[in-house]
Amino acid sequence: MISLSGERQNARGIIADKINSFDTVRGTSTVKRGFAHMLKNGVVMDVTTVEQAQIAEEAGAVSVMVLDKLPSEVRKAGGVARPASIKIIEEIMDAITIPVMAKCRIGHVSEALVLQETDVDMIDESEVLTPADEFRHIWKWDLPTPVVNGARSLAEALRRIEEGASMIRTKGEPGTGNVAEAIKHIKKVNDELRTVKAIYDSGDNQDLVRIAREFKVSYDIVEQTGKLGRLPVVNFAAGGIATPADAAYLMSLGCDGIFVGSGIFHSDDAKDRARAIVLATTFWNESDKVKEAQKMIDERQSMLGLDVGTLELRMQDRGGSA
Amino acid sequence: MTLTVGVLSVQGDVYENILSLRSAIDDLGIDANAVEAKTPEEISSLDGLIIPGGESTTIGHLSLANGSMKVLKEKIANGMPILGICAGMIMLSKTASDKVVGQTDQPLLDVLDIKLERNSFGRQKQSFEADVSLDSVGISKFNGVFIRAPSVLEVGSDVDVLAKFDERIVAVKKGNVIGTSFHPELTQDVSLHKYFLSLIK
């Protein structure tokens, strides 16, 4: 089991007022990571308007991510990409019952605090926006609101978790409609997890120390990961997912769920495609259901994919070395 | 005979409940299996079911899509014990409204005569851990993990209140149907899962 409990004393939780003579604790690791556990086997959809958020909710999304521009538009527009307008985030929070997430720039503590004050359910410290700090990410333990981070490797994922990330999404290349990078990175993380687990099982603690140094993380988190044989937090796939089959394949690779960005609302059949991607994510191991889902979409309406090799802007590289 | 206890594996924290069930089964030393159940066929072969935490709108829409909603209602009517956690309790309820958005028209099983408020304690930032008591089922202290939790506003005459927190109803029971606002599967304490197993014959 992904150990959540037992952290109540250690977590940097906020001790709230005493109610009924019991202590109420907010912002603990259990509460923050537990939120991500509730999203499992679900789809989080990027949206820019109230209307898109309502389509997402109706289609069965577990949450929406509010952006100013979809990643593919960010790619076209160029310039500095910043978080969505607070007013739009609030309008969306008032219109739907499912959780609402929003993105802030990498390392921009004040933007994260603003989003926390806005009461979004989760903050995405995201490479889709222009990074504000080239060297450091946000120290996320101090925020009662959970934060999700992107990662392309196990080392990157564990560094983010040690900074307090409550959830990881393995990065693809956002806004391309090309799933290749997302597949590459989840496979890389899986390979590295197998290696760390094998070392842990062999009892070679010295080799775990070597891994910890190579990954630039603590020994403890490497040991914990080896013992679990998986990431210590929930892990979704993200970046370039455009079709139901894309989603089903990533679920089969062991992802806990899916983030879909431009793939839905940059296609011409958004409503059907949103529904189809949710169905394929839920029933990923039943190929007749995935086929049904795939049949709901029209390839001629899919967003035109981009070849990742020729991109001028590789969003996945942002914040990767930190 | 080996009992088969399922966790509805449409969406949410399915695996966490399977693990809690397995350690509860070990503790009790009973002959039972904990399995994932998603299709109507899988559900119809169960002796007991947990609907886990997750998003109730997602679980509801998808259970309608593959026809498991209908089988679930029949099984519960025939007395199969069922535990609904958070989103699962919302699924069991008669009516649900959201604290901010108001009345929702999401698909519900309508097997527990309760009126329920979604996101009753606020958004994620207000999510919390606190001890609750379920004295009537022999659990005096339980670490309740409340995540964007619902609460029960009104109960029908045949529904027992198992626990309250801050004057709000957070656990209910009617016959073999149990609902909780909090997440026992996110703690190491399996006493509630054990109690649920004791209802399955």
Side-chain angles (χ1 to χ4, degrees):
Chain A
M1 161 151 210
I2 305 167
S3 177
L4 289 159
S5 55
E7 293 188 76
R8 193 169 169 180
Q9 279 75 34
N10 301 330
R12 295 158 208 228
I14 295 170
I15 308 286
D17 308 327
K18 284 194 170 186
I19 304 174
N20 280 351
S21 82
F22 291 131
D23 277 339
T24 312
V25 196
R26 297 203 173 90
T28 62
S29 296
T30 302
V31 164
K32 282 158 64 176
R33 293 180 181 190
F35 169 74
H37 282 245
M38 298 311 135
L39 306 175
K40 282 173 79 175
N41 310 305
V43 181
V44 183
M45 296 181 190
D46 280 1
V47 299
T48 56
T49 63
V50 171
E51 195 201 351
Q52 289 178 355
Q54 283 165 332
I55 291 174
E57 181 179 42
E58 223 156 276
V62 289
S63 177
V64 297
M65 174 80 70
V66 186
L67 292 95
D68 177 48
K69 299 183 192 72
L70 293 175
S72 56
E73 294 161 344
V74 170
R75 209 169 265 296
K76 263 185 226 145
V80 174
R82 302 189 193 89
S85 309
I86 301 300
K87 199 162 160 272
I88 291 183
I89 298 173
E90 286 180 341
E91 279 170 16
I92 290 176
M93 290 197 314
D94 287 342
I96 58 173
T97 63
I98 57 176
V100 174
M101 306 185 187
K103 287 181 191 289
C104 74
R105 285 181 269 181
I106 289 174
H108 205 315
V109 178
S110 290
E111 278 180 1
L113 291 173
V114 165
L115 291 176
Q116 174 165 277
E117 207 55 43
T118 309
D119 247 358
V120 300
D121 297 290
M122 185 173 240
I123 298 165
D124 183 3
E125 188 182 15
S126 176
E127 67 281 2
V128 169
L129 307 184
T130 311
D133 188 331
E134 297 288 336
F135 304 102
R136 281 196 183 193
H137 284 67
I138 296 166
W139 185 249
K140 292 162 275 275
W141 295 109
D142 294 340
L143 303 172
T145 301
V147 179
V148 55
N149 274 105
R152 288 173 304 175
S153 65
L154 182 56
E156 224 178 304
L158 295 183
R159 287 202 292 272
R160 298 294 85 82
I161 294 167
E162 282 205 316
E163 292 157 3
S166 301
M167 179 178 177
I168 293 292
R169 47 177 175 76
T170 39
K171 293 181 191 172
E173 186 56 42
T176 60
N178 185 342
V179 77
E181 295 294 294
I183 290 170
K184 183 168 109 189
H185 295 137
I186 184 65
K187 285 193 167 173
K188 184 172 192 303
V189 169
N190 284 345
D191 283 347
E192 290 166 335
L193 281 168
R194 269 193 292 273
T195 306
V196 173
K197 183 171 192 319
I199 297 171
Y200 176 83
D201 290 343
S202 77
D204 187 348
N205 294 355
Q206 197 175 12
D207 212 21
L208 288 181
V209 172
R210 181 187 62 79
I211 295 273
R213 287 178 182 152
E214 190 189 305
F215 284 7
K216 298 181 194 146
V217 295
S218 71
Y219 175 83
D220 288 351
I221 200 165
V222 175
E223 190 186 37
Q224 189 196 357
T225 305
K227 193 173 171 188
L228 288 168
R230 60 152 293 153
L231 282 177
V233 299
V234 168
N235 178 36
F236 273 37
I241 295 155
T243 71
D246 285 352
Y249 184 45
L250 286 163
M251 289 302 286
S252 77
L253 295 174
C255 296
D256 293 318
I258 304 287
F259 280 95
V260 190
S262 323
I264 291 175
F265 292 106
H266 248 216
S267 66
D268 297 324
D269 53 358
K271 240 183 199 164
D272 290 339
R273 192 169 294 250
R275 179 86 180 135
I277 290 179
V278 169
L279 286 170
T281 303
T282 307
F283 302 110
W284 62 269
N285 55 352
E286 298 169 52
S287 44
D288 59 325
K289 292 258 172 56
V290 178
K291 182 227 150 189
E292 284 295 306
Q294 190 74 12
K295 202 174 164 184
M296 289 167 68
I297 65 151
D298 179 357
E299 177 55 22
R300 283 167 294 186
Q301 317 279 322
S302 293
M303 76 180 273
L304 185 64
L306 297 172
D307 178 357
V308 180
T310 60
L311 294 178
E312 279 177 30
L313 170 61
R314 282 170 61 86
M315 292 176 179
Q316 55 172 285
D317 296 338
R318 291 167 161 178
S321 55
Chain B
M1 202 190 72
T2 308
L3 296 174
T4 309
V5 189
V7 181
L8 188 68
S9 60
V10 169
Q11 191 271 320
D13 67 338
V14 178
Y15 188 57
E16 294 74 356
N17 274 292
I18 296 234
L19 290 171
S20 293
L21 275 175
R22 283 186 187 150
S23 61
I25 289 167
D26 281 352
D27 281 6
L28 293 169
I30 56 172
D31 184 14
N33 280 327
V35 298
E36 292 188 11
K38 183 155 58 183
T39 64
E41 298 77 48
E42 285 166 345
I43 292 165
S44 56
S45 67
L46 297 175
D47 301 305
L49 178 75
I50 295 179
I51 305 182
E55 273 310 310
S56 59
T57 49
T58 306
I59 298 174
H61 284 305
L62 288 163
S63 305
L64 271 185
N66 80 340
S68 50
M69 200 92 161
K70 194 168 154 275
V71 185
L72 272 173
K73 279 193 91 140
E74 286 167 12
K75 292 283 283 186
I76 299 165
N78 289 330
M80 177 180 71
I82 186 157
L83 166 62
I85 297 167
C86 194
M89 175 163 77
I90 298 171
M91 289 297 301
L92 298 174
S93 70
K94 193 182 181 115
T95 48
S97 63
D98 184 87
K99 191 169 183 158
V100 178
V101 179
Q103 194 66 37
T104 59
D105 56 357
Q106 60 189 116
L108 301 169
L109 285 163
D110 186 14
V111 292
L112 254 182
D113 184 12
I114 53 174
K115 195 176 159 203
L116 197 140
E117 183 179 57
R118 291 179 60 191
N119 304 320
S120 181
F121 297 90
R123 303 190 73 94
Q124 172 58 21
K125 198 170 72 186
Q126 278 79 41
S127 294
F128 62 96
E129 287 182 63
D131 290 333
V132 291
S133 318
L134 300 95
D135 288 319
S136 61
V137 297
I139 300 169
S140 58
K141 194 176 158 194
F142 198 91
N143 179 202
V145 179
F146 294 80
I147 295 176
R148 284 174 47 99
S151 77
V152 179
L153 299 177
E154 286 167 29
V155 296
S157 55
D158 52 352
V159 178
D160 299 329
V161 174
L162 294 186
K164 278 190 177 186
F165 180 77
D166 191 22
E167 306 297 314
R168 278 182 268 196
I169 301 167
V170 294
V172 290
K173 179 176 182 290
K174 177 193 159 193
N176 277 342
V177 182
I178 307 174
T180 70
S181 299
F182 50 91
H183 293 274
E185 78 282 10
L186 293 182
T187 71
Q188 307 287 1
D189 186 344
V190 294
S191 50
L192 201 59
H193 283 82
K194 282 205 262 201
Y195 173 71
F196 173 63
L197 285 170
S198 76
L199 297 178
I200 304 171
K201 298 272 164 16

XYZ file of all heavy atoms in Angstrom, chain A residues 236-274:
272
model
N 0.029 10.362 -12.908
C -0.781 10.422 -14.128
C 0.126 10.597 -15.341
O 1.265 11.037 -15.205
C -1.763 11.603 -14.053
C -3.070 11.286 -13.366
C -3.118 10.448 -12.263
C -4.258 11.837 -13.828
C -4.323 10.158 -11.629
C -5.477 11.559 -13.201
C -5.508 10.724 -12.102
N -0.400 10.296 -16.523
C 0.309 10.590 -17.769
C -0.198 11.916 -18.318
O -1.351 12.274 -18.103
C 0.055 9.487 -18.783
N 0.674 12.640 -19.016
C 0.256 13.927 -19.575
C 1.053 14.253 -20.834
O 2.146 13.740 -21.036
C 0.451 15.040 -18.557
N 0.469 15.109 -21.655
C 1.208 15.689 -22.771
C 1.052 14.957 -24.082
O 1.598 13.877 -24.272
N 0.265 15.533 -24.993
C 0.167 14.993 -26.346
C -0.912 13.938 -26.541
O -1.014 13.336 -27.603
N -1.749 13.687 -25.480
C -2.796 12.669 -25.599
C -3.971 13.247 -26.406
O -4.516 14.290 -26.058
C -3.257 12.222 -24.198
C -2.080 11.532 -23.495
C -4.462 11.286 -24.293
C -2.167 11.567 -21.997
N -4.322 12.592 -27.508
C -5.343 13.156 -28.400
C -6.495 12.200 -28.692
O -7.566 12.640 -29.094
C -4.702 13.602 -29.717
N -6.307 10.906 -28.494
C -7.362 9.950 -28.855
C -7.643 8.986 -27.690
O -6.819 8.840 -26.789
C -6.946 9.095 -30.064
O -5.922 8.173 -29.647
C -6.423 9.940 -31.214
N -8.815 8.308 -27.724
C -9.120 7.313 -26.691
C -8.057 6.217 -26.616
O -7.667 5.801 -25.521
C -10.465 6.736 -27.144
C -11.086 7.818 -27.945
C -9.966 8.522 -28.629
N -7.555 5.779 -27.751
C -6.545 4.720 -27.747
C -5.247 5.194 -27.090
O -4.577 4.416 -26.401
C -6.278 4.237 -29.169
N -4.898 6.477 -27.281
C -3.733 7.045 -26.584
C -3.896 6.851 -25.075
O -2.979 6.414 -24.375
C -3.617 8.563 -26.843
C -3.107 8.914 -28.234
O -2.687 7.989 -28.958
O -3.136 10.115 -28.580
N -5.085 7.218 -24.576
C -5.354 7.145 -23.135
C -5.302 5.699 -22.649
O -4.679 5.398 -21.621
C -6.714 7.765 -22.828
N -5.926 4.793 -23.402
C -5.968 3.386 -22.991
C -4.554 2.810 -22.931
O -4.213 2.070 -22.004
C -6.830 2.586 -23.960
N -3.720 3.161 -23.913
C -2.362 2.615 -23.925
C -1.562 3.100 -22.710
O -0.873 2.316 -22.052
C -1.648 2.990 -25.230
C -0.271 2.371 -25.327
C -0.068 1.025 -24.993
C 0.828 3.120 -25.720
C 1.191 0.454 -25.059
C 2.094 2.551 -25.789
C 2.274 1.224 -25.455
O 3.514 0.661 -25.505
N -1.690 4.378 -22.378
C -0.958 4.904 -21.215
C -1.442 4.259 -19.916
O -0.650 3.978 -19.020
C -1.072 6.428 -21.163
C -0.196 7.110 -22.226
C -0.632 8.545 -22.445
C 1.278 7.065 -21.850
N -2.752 3.993 -19.815
C -3.264 3.294 -18.620
C -2.659 1.900 -18.539
O -2.310 1.421 -17.455
C -4.792 3.202 -18.669
C -5.531 4.512 -18.465
S -5.157 5.330 -16.890
C -6.050 4.289 -15.732
N -2.508 1.254 -19.695
C -1.961 -0.116 -19.700
C -0.495 -0.130 -19.272
O 0.016 -1.153 -18.838
C -2.116 -0.750 -21.082
O -1.130 -0.245 -21.963
N 0.182 1.011 -19.393
C 1.584 1.099 -18.972
C 1.705 1.367 -17.472
O 2.805 1.554 -16.956
C 2.311 2.193 -19.761
C 2.450 1.947 -21.275
C 3.064 3.155 -21.963
C 3.289 0.697 -21.546
N 0.578 1.422 -16.776
C 0.621 1.537 -15.321
C 0.377 2.940 -14.793
O 0.568 3.189 -13.602
N -0.047 3.871 -15.654
C -0.376 5.217 -15.156
C -1.657 5.141 -14.326
O -2.534 4.329 -14.601
C -0.595 6.171 -16.317
S 0.891 6.404 -17.285
N -1.766 6.000 -13.305
C -2.947 5.995 -12.441
C -4.110 6.760 -13.062
O -5.241 6.686 -12.569
C -2.615 6.618 -11.082
C -1.622 5.758 -10.299
O -1.771 4.525 -10.301
O -0.694 6.321 -9.684
N -3.839 7.540 -14.121
C -4.881 8.333 -14.746
C -4.261 9.197 -15.828
O -3.072 9.065 -16.129
N -5.083 10.111 -16.377
C -4.681 10.824 -17.589
C -4.972 12.330 -17.464
O -6.037 12.708 -16.978
C -5.511 10.292 -18.797
C -5.361 8.776 -18.960
C -5.181 11.034 -20.079
C -4.045 8.308 -19.483
N -4.030 13.148 -17.907
C -4.309 14.575 -18.135
C -4.446 14.778 -19.641
O -3.553 14.364 -20.393
C -3.129 15.442 -17.685
C -3.061 15.705 -16.212
C -2.281 14.922 -15.386
C -3.757 16.774 -15.655
C -2.197 15.179 -14.024
C -3.676 17.035 -14.293
C -2.894 16.245 -13.472
N -5.531 15.396 -20.084
C -5.649 15.722 -21.505
C -5.679 17.228 -21.664
O -6.471 17.915 -21.019
C -6.927 15.142 -22.140
C -6.870 15.308 -23.646
C -7.062 13.685 -21.804
N -4.803 17.726 -22.498
C -4.698 19.165 -22.684
C -5.414 19.605 -23.934
O -6.639 19.555 -24.029
N -4.642 19.985 -24.934
C -5.212 20.541 -26.159
C -6.010 19.501 -26.935
O -6.846 19.858 -27.750
C -4.074 21.058 -27.045
O -3.068 21.637 -26.248
N -5.741 18.215 -26.679
C -6.332 17.124 -27.463
C -7.840 17.188 -27.581
O -8.402 16.809 -28.609
N -8.539 17.652 -26.521
C -9.999 17.665 -26.568
C -10.525 18.959 -27.169
O -11.208 18.956 -28.181
C -10.589 17.449 -25.153
C -10.303 16.020 -24.702
C -12.083 17.726 -25.149
C -10.715 15.702 -23.289
N -10.177 20.075 -26.524
C -10.838 21.312 -26.941
C -10.157 21.974 -28.147
O -10.568 23.030 -28.582
C -11.002 22.260 -25.751
C -11.983 21.715 -24.761
C -11.576 21.181 -23.554
C -13.334 21.667 -25.078
C -12.487 20.634 -22.664
C -14.252 21.125 -24.199
C -13.828 20.609 -22.983
N -9.146 21.297 -28.694
C -8.601 21.757 -29.957
C -8.964 20.832 -31.091
O -8.427 20.911 -32.183
C -7.087 21.957 -29.867
C -6.749 23.400 -29.964
N -5.644 23.866 -30.591
C -7.416 24.481 -29.533
C -5.643 25.186 -30.523
N -6.704 25.577 -29.876
N -9.883 19.912 -30.794
C -10.408 19.082 -31.877
C -11.763 19.682 -32.235
O -12.288 20.533 -31.520
C -10.565 17.652 -31.400
O -11.577 17.603 -30.404
N -12.360 19.212 -33.310
C -13.633 19.783 -33.736
C -14.824 18.992 -33.209
O -15.967 19.311 -33.514
C -13.670 19.874 -35.274
C -12.574 20.810 -35.783
O -12.319 21.806 -35.086
O -11.974 20.520 -36.830
N -14.538 17.924 -32.445
C -15.638 17.127 -31.892
C -15.443 16.974 -30.377
O -15.475 15.873 -29.841
C -15.713 15.760 -32.576
C -14.366 15.019 -32.550
O -13.383 15.589 -32.034
O -14.309 13.876 -33.035
N -15.262 18.134 -29.699
C -14.851 18.142 -28.296
C -15.752 17.301 -27.388
O -15.262 16.523 -26.571
C -14.778 19.571 -27.793
N -17.063 17.437 -27.524
C -17.983 16.760 -26.617
C -17.826 15.240 -26.685
O -17.673 14.565 -25.670
C -19.423 17.127 -26.978
C -20.141 17.811 -25.842
C -21.565 18.099 -26.206
C -22.076 19.169 -25.250
N -23.287 19.810 -25.669
N -17.889 14.721 -27.901
C -17.769 13.273 -28.091
C -16.387 12.792 -27.681
O -16.235 11.730 -27.092
C -17.999 12.902 -29.563
C -19.448 13.100 -29.951
O -20.296 13.116 -29.039
O -19.734 13.267 -31.155
N -15.371 13.571 -28.028
C -14.009 13.151 -27.749
C -13.752 13.124 -26.233
O -13.110 12.207 -25.725
C -13.024 14.101 -28.442
C -11.599 13.598 -28.453
C -10.757 14.445 -29.375
N -11.190 14.294 -30.751
C -10.475 13.672 -31.696
N -9.301 13.162 -31.395
N -10.931 13.571 -32.910
N -14.294 14.100 -25.513
C -14.134 14.131 -24.056
C -14.728 12.854 -23.453
O -14.096 12.163 -22.650
C -14.815 15.364 -23.481
